[in-house]
């Protein structure tokens, strides 16, 4: 999942700071999700879905 999030953010041309702000998080908290040091809440998945237009399920698929 974390690789999918990184890829999504980078494909949008956004920094962690910009992406985190757009979904209502601090950069440090979002960074911990990308590194796998913090789990992701379902509410955050919904915010990411709304911001990116990606379906909930695709965030959880294995991404290579």
């Amino acid at each position: 999942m974390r690789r999918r999030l990184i890829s999504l953010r980078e494909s949008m041309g956004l920094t962690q700071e910009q992406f985190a702000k757009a979904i209502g998080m601090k950069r440090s908290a979002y960074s911990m999700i990308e590194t796998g040091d913090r789990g992701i809440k379902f509410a955050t998945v919904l915010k990411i879905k709304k911001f990116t237009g990606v379906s909930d399920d695709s965030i959880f698929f294995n991404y290579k």
Side-chain angles (χ1 to χ4, degrees):
M1 176 184 63
R2 64 187 191 88
R3 284 186 276 166
R4 174 68 172 136
L5 290 174
I6 293 167
S7 178
L8 254 176
R9 177 181 57 76
E10 289 177 345
S11 72
M12 296 175 77
L14 299 175
T15 64
Q16 285 183 342
E17 180 76 29
Q18 293 166 324
F19 195 87
K21 184 177 181 179
I23 61 170
M25 292 185 81
K26 292 184 178 185
R27 188 215 48 87
S28 58
Y30 180 75
S31 175
M32 290 175 72
I33 291 171
E34 280 194 1
T35 60
D37 293 331
R38 177 180 178 160
I40 187 168
K41 295 179 181 180
F42 186 70
T44 302
V45 172
L46 294 178
K47 289 177 185 178
I48 292 170
K49 175 191 178 258
K50 184 176 180 180
F51 176 61
T52 63
V54 173
S55 74
D56 292 352
D57 294 342
S58 73
I59 291 172
F60 297 104
F61 290 145
N62 286 333
Y63 183 79
K64 298 178 182 181

